[in-house]
């Protein structure tokens, strides 16, 4: 279901192939991170994770369009 949603969002946004690759790499990274973080670690690191994801998306996904 998540894969279908992601593909739909990529289509809607009209991302280039390079932007799609960066976005998918980011999703894979977050999935791998999810496998090693405990619930306590995740809660304490939420602000940092949000900032990291935001910066990654701005630089590598949306920045590619500029």
């Amino acid at each position: 279901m998540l894969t279908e949603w992601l593909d739909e969002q990529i289509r809607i946004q009209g991302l280039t192939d390079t932007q799609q690759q960066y976005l998918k790499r980011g999703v894979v990274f977050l999935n791998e991170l999810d496998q090693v973080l405990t619930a306590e670690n995740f809660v304490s690191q939420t602000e940092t994770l949000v900032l990291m994801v935001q910066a990654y998306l701005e630089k590598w996904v949306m920045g590619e369009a500029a």
Side-chain angles (χ1 to χ4, degrees), residues 2-21:
L2 180 58
T3 303
E4 291 174 16
W5 177 85
L6 183 59
D7 289 340
E8 177 70 11
Q9 294 306 306
I10 287 170
R11 187 187 63 73
I12 290 170
Q13 296 298 320
L15 300 179
T16 67
D17 288 342
T18 301
Q19 289 172 309
Q20 291 178 40
Q21 288 176 325

